[in-house]
Amino acid sequence: MHISQRRCLYPIFLFLLAFVGTALGRVQEVHNVLELTGQKASKLRFSTDVATGKYTPPEEMDPQFWYKLADEEIAKRLQLPQPNSDRAKNVIMFLGDGMPISTVTAARILKGQRQGNTGEESSLSFEKFPYSGLSRTYCANAQVPDSACTATAYLCGVKTNIINIGVSAAVNFNNCTASQDPANRLTSIAEWAQNAGKSTGFVTTTTLTHASPSGAYAKTANRMWQSDTDVTSYGVDASTCVDMATQLVTQTPGKNFEVMFGGGMGKFLPKTTKDSHGKYGERSDGVNLLSRWQGLHDKGVLVTNRKQLLNLDVSAASSIIGTFQSGLMDFHMDADPTYQPTLSELTEVAIKKLSHNENGYFVFIEGGLIDYGNHYTQAGYALDEALEFEKAIQLAREMTNISDTLIVVTADHGHAVSIAGYPGRGTPILGLNQHDTDINGVKYSVLNYAAGPNQYLDEHGQRIPLDDILGPDDAISPSYIDKEIGVHSGEDVGIWASGPQSHLFTGVMQQSTIPHLMAYASCVGSGKQVCGSSGRKT
């Protein structure tokens, strides 16, 4: 086939790759536990045998290892001159899922270019925060992590094995028995805040039971155990191992959240029940968890669309659960703006609700679809989600008092995306590098992924011209390694902080130290606190 014919077929090819992007306007799940655990390469299926998995240093299986390390990292920071001794009444943690420094840089450039400028000189809202540092994202058995073990680190203060949430690294993948051992179960900063009398909540553009927000409340040996049907599908007894949706509604700290916003309504409803978005639920046990939640919260309010959210009287509701899609929420660029709220709108309502507590609050807010845009190697989606994320951060900083509200912005892990090749100033970040070519004289894109579904090669294995392919916001960027989906990366990610004790969020730190620093600043938890705790109680 002639190259020009192949180029004409590429738009059709992109359409057929519905899973890479928005099939029927919906974001599809991309995380494969066999790939994440390394069992895909060895052709195993849901093995819990430690010998077949990834290596975990024995000493790191003990949570005390990470608590001690966090204490040491805090102590080093406290030896430096302290700009203030202020306590954070409120803590807002923003998490850009799958947001490496390269995505931050590219989003900054896209922001400026959307404003008609060259772009490189622009700044994202959180880049203007006074303090920044780096977080080391590896997990107990993973050089490159997933969103489950990282959530356990930045919300529970302990590094664990890949796929695990809320349990120590002594727990192997899919091992229900080990995950239920009290010695292996962890508590999160959300629970520490609740114990201190603060209000708590979380916001995500993924699902309420997705890996990142679940770090605030779940304890599980498999991030995919989101409903009872999911538990059974992995060969585990759902009557013994409690799924994450049930944990959220019936167990501490989940049942005490005052705000829960995201997608994933299907995980809470029986297969026989249609949800508010026209799809049947996923549960096999016949339990309607949303009804159970409302039964446990007399003044609790369920909202399922933008109009309901924005018309809500937060002062009259004891707690609010918002489920805005059956599964993952839609990308901002694809969403019906009259139906699905933006991350900024979710953030605004969450802060308004939680601010009623005189003791303060802790809230976790995730831009979860940055990760999906990067997984699909559709940089346009990833960057647009990052810009929606930075708008929500700007709004939060404007809504709160910098003297009593600590805002911490970070990512859980990176993605293997690069900005390279000496493009000139103002080159469209989503386009071609007009100032260089490959060895065959073919121009290449500014953004490239290490792994992904499209290498754009002809029948001889040579790169084809991309002039008519790149540019649209939903274009699939080129990749080097042929895989169905893009992969995470293992480099450090950024941390940006503003507010009381924000000066502590500098230098290079373990990701698991982050919640201990937030706890120190807000005087919650069992470790050292700015208001006078003598040290960790073990």
Side-chain angles (χ1 to χ4, degrees), residues 198-419:
K198 295 179 181 292
S199 293
T200 54
F202 68 87
V203 176
T204 181
T205 49
T206 60
T207 67
L208 299 181
T209 52
H210 216 257
S212 300
S214 297
Y217 66 85
K219 297 166 179 58
T220 179
N222 186 340
R223 60 179 283 177
M224 295 302 182
W225 290 348
Q226 298 180 53
S227 72
D228 66 310
T229 304
D230 298 325
V231 175
T232 302
S233 73
Y234 283 89
V236 176
D237 183 359
S239 65
T240 301
C241 220
V242 181
D243 64 90
M244 291 150 64
T246 300
Q247 290 185 43
L248 177 58
V249 170
T250 66
Q251 296 184 2
T252 301
K255 66 180 182 180
N256 298 322
F257 286 133
E258 293 182 19
V259 171
M260 295 171 281
F261 291 159
M265 194 172 191
K267 301 297 183 184
F268 296 84
L269 298 176
K271 292 180 176 180
T272 55
T273 301
K274 268 193 175 181
D275 68 17
S276 301
H277 313 291
K279 292 188 177 182
Y280 284 98
E282 301 181 32
R283 302 193 64 83
S284 301
D285 58 9
V287 175
N288 185 323
L289 286 173
L290 295 179
S291 294
R292 178 173 291 184
W293 178 84
Q294 289 184 306
L296 295 171
H297 300 83
D298 290 340
K299 295 183 180 179
V301 177
L302 168 67
V303 292
T304 60
N305 59 54
R306 181 175 183 268
K307 182 178 179 180
Q308 292 175 355
L309 177 77
L310 299 185
N311 289 336
L312 181 65
D313 180 1
V314 296
S315 62
S318 62
S319 49
I320 314 164
I321 186 168
T323 53
F324 302 102
Q325 292 292 350
S326 302
L328 295 158
M329 291 179 67
D330 292 340
F331 282 123
H332 168 254
M333 289 197 302
D334 292 337
D336 178 350
T338 67
Y339 185 78
Q340 179 177 293
T342 65
L343 183 59
S344 291
E345 290 169 339
L346 295 171
T347 297
E348 181 175 7
V349 175
I351 292 175
K352 285 180 177 178
K353 169 57 188 168
L354 298 173
S355 296
H356 283 88
N357 189 335
E358 294 181 356
N359 293 323
Y361 58 84
F362 170 82
V363 63
F364 172 80
I365 302 175
E366 180 191 25
L369 299 183
I370 302 169
D371 180 62
Y372 280 78
N374 278 326
H375 269 300
Y376 296 153
T377 64
Q378 290 179 290
Y381 279 113
L383 301 188
D384 185 72
E385 291 297 317
L387 292 179
E388 287 300 297
F389 181 64
E390 72 109 16
K391 289 177 186 176
I393 297 166
Q394 177 69 32
L395 176 64
R397 188 68 286 175
E398 291 172 353
M399 288 183 65
T400 56
N401 191 329
I402 197 170
S403 68
D404 70 5
T405 301
L406 170 67
I407 297 181
V408 178
V409 181
T410 190
D412 51 353
H413 56 76
H415 264 274
V417 58
S418 64
I419 311 171

Side-chain angles (χ1 to χ4, degrees), residues 107-122 387 425-429:
R108 171 203 310 155
I109 295 172
L110 180 61
K111 178 182 180 180
Q113 291 179 347
R114 284 181 173 181
Q115 295 169 341
N117 303 315
T118 55
E120 295 82 4
E121 70 288 339
S122 187
L387 292 179
R425 182 74 180 268
T427 298
I429 192 65

Side-chain angles (χ1 to χ4, degrees), residues 8-18 453-456 476:
C8 291
L9 289 175
Y10 268 99
I12 300 173
F13 174 74
L14 297 184
F15 175 77
L16 292 176
L17 272 175
N454 207 327
Q455 288 68 56
Y456 294 108
I476 297 174

